[in-house]
Amino acid sequence: MVFTLNHEEAFEGSSKIEDGTYEVFIEKAYEDATPNGAEFMNFWMRIRNDIKQPSQNQVIFHRVWKGKETKKYHTGMINTLAKAAQLPNGKSYNSMEDLLGDFVNKPLKVTVKNEKSEYNGNVYENLNVKFQEQTQFTDLQHRRKESNGSGNNDPYADRAVTVEDTNLPF
């Protein structure tokens, strides 16, 4: 057996996110780069399911890019997102990892728009974050989908394998 399908483990809400304003929380925040080396901060914003709204549980991907000429992040963009996520004004960070980690699980409100762009003769449709603001619903009660009965949110936790030294060929 190579693979067995299980629709219980399918991601919810695979339909298109419509233009509008959504209550979200930042599920992940990390630095990344394109195959061509363009660096960016990647923010995964999950649409909250503890507030009645369309597209619950879907993810909005928001990127903050380093400038091509300066090779630095635009501080205004970072501070706008930080203010919307209600990070403390004046707080200092010793590393980018610490800064990005502080965004995780912070609720905010975003306005998104589906827009077309062209690159190398191809037309793409992108969901772009146009505006970020503080939410009035700061008590995050979002329920993550649990795919196993363990209470653990890791869908692969029940597939753990114990390997003994005697199982190894070396």
Side-chain angles (χ1 to χ4, degrees), residues 50-120:
D50 59 335
I51 296 171
K52 185 175 168 98
Q53 60 184 333
S55 303
Q56 289 182 343
N57 300 312
Q58 289 190 253
V59 177
I60 298 167
F61 299 99
H62 178 56
R63 293 178 174 174
V64 175
W65 296 89
K66 277 190 176 179
K68 289 180 183 178
E69 293 167 13
T70 65
K71 305 290 185 213
K72 294 184 180 194
Y73 292 111
H74 189 286
T75 57
M77 293 180 80
I78 297 168
N79 283 309
T80 300
L81 184 57
K83 184 177 181 181
Q86 300 181 43
L87 298 184
N89 189 31
K91 184 172 182 179
S92 296
Y93 297 90
N94 293 321
S95 70
M96 188 61 68
E97 187 176 281
D98 289 344
L99 169 63
L100 293 172
D102 215 7
F103 279 102
V104 175
N105 290 322
K106 297 296 191 285
L108 64 148
K109 186 167 32 171
V110 297
T111 301
V112 298
K113 183 169 178 56
N114 287 283
E115 299 177 312
K116 292 185 180 183
S117 62
E118 185 178 337
Y119 182 71
N120 286 342

Side-chain angles (χ1 to χ4, degrees), residues 25 30 35 43 72 74-75 81 96 99 111 128 132-134 166:
F25 69 97
Y30 57 93
F43 295 91
K72 294 184 180 194
H74 189 286
T75 57
L81 184 57
M96 188 61 68
L99 169 63
T111 301
N128 295 320
Q132 306 131 52
E133 60 187 306
Q134 292 181 2
T166 57

